[in-house]
Structures are given as structure tokens and as C-alpha cells.
């Protein structure tokens, strides 16, 4: 499929115009970043694995009626997706305390939460994606009340589904990030606004621990210098039954991470 002009480039993906209006080609890069882009590296094969894992998860959500922007995977690094207007909020669903939650509130990592916790962050790298409340969302018109209520329900339903998916392969779903977008579609000759999951769901956007050992299989391997990131991602793909399509990924090759001073958050 022929790519058009570049529409957007983020830390891990590039979005290109697709031949058909209303669609885009999402390209997964091998770039790895952490701490709001303060730590950077290139890890060969990372984009291939994220493309395949995200396609598997988003396709599974589509099949149970939770609509996503994914149309299909085109090749090893690219997906055809629906163009959406991104809501500038990151929706963080937490089942087990880890990451910034433990730092902000002094909670011990690994504490199982009594019920899932949903947090909102304003999607803005220059501001380090600050935590916000519903009142901020309404006050600054990031999202209307009805849309936010619908997305909130979707977040909890997605969490239930993903917890079941990962529990079946002996992985704990610690937390994950979701992004949503709005798109206008024609149904019976009338325009209908749809709320779709956008971006990706992959080990880059989830914390995933082995159910027995609590070994980290996600981007925390890179954040915390815990070892071989590709091996962690490959283990997730293997347990999901999709690793056979990644057989041509060569052993891990790292570039030296950018030497920067990491700000404590």
C-alpha cells in the first residue's frame, strides 16, 4: 500500500496519509523512550513486535464490539487505521500499584488495588503529561461530559477483557494507557460520531508481569535497565501464540542510550 505525506511523527510511531480518504498508515519505529523522551535508544525489532502485539489486541477488542481505529495490519511494521481526532487525554487504568502512583502516594510497588483505578493525564509532552481531574477536562473543554462517561465505561470493560486475556497466559496486567479519538462515519445516510480506541496497546503502553515471578515483560525493562527488552516482548508474543510471525527478528541490538540527567517525578 502506497504511503502519502507524513501526517504526524511521535516517539514510537509515524502516521502517513493512506490512498483512501479518512484512513492513515501507522508505522511502528524501533525507537525506545522513557521519562518523557529524556532517555532514548533504538532497539532493533521493537517496532515489529509492537505492531503485531497491538494488532492482536486491537483485533480482539474489535471482535467483542469495542471499536478501535485498526482496520488491518499491512506488513511487519505498518497498520491501516482510521483517521480520528485525538482526545488530548491519556486514560490510565491501574490494577496494581507501580510507576508514578507509588512515587506520588508512597504506596509499595506490587500492592493490589481493591478495585481498578482510572486516572486522567493531559496529553502534552512539554508539560510532562500532568495528572488532571474531571473538572479540568470540563473546564478546558478537552472532552464533553457525555463522551467522558462513555469512555470511562469503555476503559473498565477493556480492563476486564485484557485482564482475562493476560491471566490466561499467566501474565498480570498491572496497568495500561489508552487513547481515544473521534471520527464521523456515515450510517444509513447520516453522519454518526464514533469513539474509537486509537494509538496502540502493546508492552510499550502496558505494565505486564509474569504471574508467578513478577518478572517485568514490558517497557520497564528499558526504563530501569533490567535486561533485554526484546526478550520480554518476545515472551509476551510467544504466550499470545503470535511469535512465529516474528521468526526473522535478529538478536537484540542496542544503540547507546542518550546520556541525560533524569528528572525525578
Amino acid at each position: 500500500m502506497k504511503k502519502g505525506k507524513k501526517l504526524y511523527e511521535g516517539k514510537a510511531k509515524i502516521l502517513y496519509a493512506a490512498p483512501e480518504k479518512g484512513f492513515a498508515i501507522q508505522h511502528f519505529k524501533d525507537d525506545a523512550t522513557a521519562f518523557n523522551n529524556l532517555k532514548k535508544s533504538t532497539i532493533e525489532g521493537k517496532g515489529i513486535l509492537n505492531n503485531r502485539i497491538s494488532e492482536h489486541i486491537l483485533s480482539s477488542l474489535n471482535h467483542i464490539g469495542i471499536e478501535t481505529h485498526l482496520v488491518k495490519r499491512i506488513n511487519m511494521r505498518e497498520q491501516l487505521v482510521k483517521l480520528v481526532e485525538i482526545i488530548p487525554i491519556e486514560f490510565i487504568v491501574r490494577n496494581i500499584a507501580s510507576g508514578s502512583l507509588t512515587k506520588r502516594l508512597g504506596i509499595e510497588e506490587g500492592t493490589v488495588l481493591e478495585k481498578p483505578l482510572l486516572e486522567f493525564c493531559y496529553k502534552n509532552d512539554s508539560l510532562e503529561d500532568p495528572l488532571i481531574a474531571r473538572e479540568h477536562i470540563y473546564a478546558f473543554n478537552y472532552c464533553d461530559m457525555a463522551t467522558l462517561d462513555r469512555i470511562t465505561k469503555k476503559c473498565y470493560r477493556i480492563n476486564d477483557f485484557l485482564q482475562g486475556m493476560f491471566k490466561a497466559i499467566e501474565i498480570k496486567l498491572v496497568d495500561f494507557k489508552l487513547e481515544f479519538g473521534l471520527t464521523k462515519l456515515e450510517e444509513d445516510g447520516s453522519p454518526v460520531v464514533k469513539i474509537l480506541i486509537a494509538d496502540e496497546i502493546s508492552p510499550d503502553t502496558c505494565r505486564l508481569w509474569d504471574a508467578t515471578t513478577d518478572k517485568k515483560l514490558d517497557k520497564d525493562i528499558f526504563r530501569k535497565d533490567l535486561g533485554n527488552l526484546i526478550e520480554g516482548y518476545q515472551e509476551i508474543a510467544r504466550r499470545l501464540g503470535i511469535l512465529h510471525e516474528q521468526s526473522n527478528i535478529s538478536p537484540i541490538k542496542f544503540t547507546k542510550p542518550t546520556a541525560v540527567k533524569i528528572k525525578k517525578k
Side-chain angles (χ1 to χ4, degrees):
M1 185 175 292
K2 186 177 179 181
K3 295 194 288 283
K5 68 176 182 178
K6 184 191 295 186
L7 302 176
Y8 169 80
E9 181 167 3
K11 290 176 285 190
K13 294 180 294 297
I14 305 173
L15 206 62
Y16 297 96
E20 188 175 347
K21 185 179 179 181
F23 295 87
I25 295 171
Q26 182 168 259
H27 175 93
F28 286 74
K29 303 192 291 184
D30 283 339
D31 294 356
T33 65
F35 310 111
N36 284 306
N37 217 27
L38 291 175
K39 182 178 182 180
K40 306 175 188 177
S41 188
T42 301
I43 303 176
E44 185 178 331
K46 172 179 167 290
I48 294 172
L49 284 160
N50 277 344
N51 179 27
R52 186 64 184 93
I53 293 170
S54 187
E55 181 232 0
H56 177 81
I57 294 173
L58 294 183
S59 294
S60 298
L61 290 170
N62 280 331
H63 288 155
I64 66 166
I66 300 176
E67 295 180 281
T68 79
H69 72 159
L70 176 70
V71 178
K72 64 179 180 179
R73 180 166 58 94
I74 302 169
N75 54 45
M76 291 177 68
R77 287 192 178 273
E78 294 173 336
Q79 299 174 356
L80 180 66
V81 299
K82 298 170 186 173
L83 270 177
V84 297
E85 180 185 347
I86 291 290
I87 296 169
I89 302 167
E90 294 181 349
F91 297 84
I92 316 297
V93 184
R94 300 183 182 274
N95 298 303
I96 299 171
S98 187
S100 62
L101 180 66
T102 62
K103 296 174 185 177
R104 291 196 314 265
L105 302 179
I107 300 170
E108 184 179 356
E109 182 177 66
T111 301
V112 178
L113 305 180
E114 188 174 332
K115 60 181 181 179
L117 172 66
L118 177 61
E119 295 181 330
F120 312 110
C121 292
Y122 178 46
K123 185 175 165 60
N124 188 309
D125 284 344
S126 64
L127 298 176
E128 299 185 351
D129 303 324
L131 189 69
I132 57 175
R134 281 180 173 265
E135 289 75 12
H136 294 101
I137 295 171
Y138 303 146
F140 301 111
N141 199 30
Y142 298 146
C143 180
D144 64 67
M145 189 179 298
T147 299
L148 186 59
D149 286 344
R150 289 172 64 190
I151 290 175
T152 296
K153 290 177 182 177
K154 285 178 184 287
C155 287
Y156 288 123
R157 187 180 173 205
I158 293 164
N159 185 49
D160 287 343
F161 177 78
L162 293 184
Q163 276 192 301
M165 171 186 283
F166 285 114
K167 185 176 181 180
I169 56 173
E170 299 185 349
I171 290 176
K172 294 178 183 178
L173 177 62
V174 176
D175 57 41
F176 61 101
K177 179 199 78 171
L178 292 170
E179 294 185 26
F180 291 86
L182 304 176
T183 185
K184 285 185 179 179
L185 302 174
E186 291 285 332
E187 288 190 1
D188 299 324
S190 301
V192 177
V193 176
K194 293 271 191 176
I195 303 170
L196 306 180
I197 300 173
D199 194 48
E200 65 179 299
I201 301 178
S202 74
D204 269 14
T205 63
C206 305
R207 280 191 173 91
L208 301 166
W209 297 353
D210 179 83
T212 302
T213 66
D214 283 346
K215 180 180 179 181
K216 294 173 174 60
L217 303 172
D218 54 74
K219 198 166 76 168
D220 271 352
I221 298 171
F222 173 71
R223 290 188 186 99
K224 300 180 179 183
D225 298 317
L226 298 178
N228 190 318
L229 184 78
I230 290 296
E231 286 183 358
Y233 285 27
Q234 285 179 328
E235 178 62 15
I236 292 168
R238 184 189 69 78
R239 295 193 196 187
L240 288 170
I242 56 177
L243 184 61
H244 61 281
E245 296 196 18
Q246 312 304 330
S247 57
N248 59 344
I249 295 178
S250 59
I252 187 168
K253 292 182 181 179
F254 289 97
T255 61
K256 189 176 181 180
T258 304
V260 292
K261 185 176 180 180
I262 305 299
K263 296 178 183 177
K264 292 185 177 181
K265 295 178 69 177

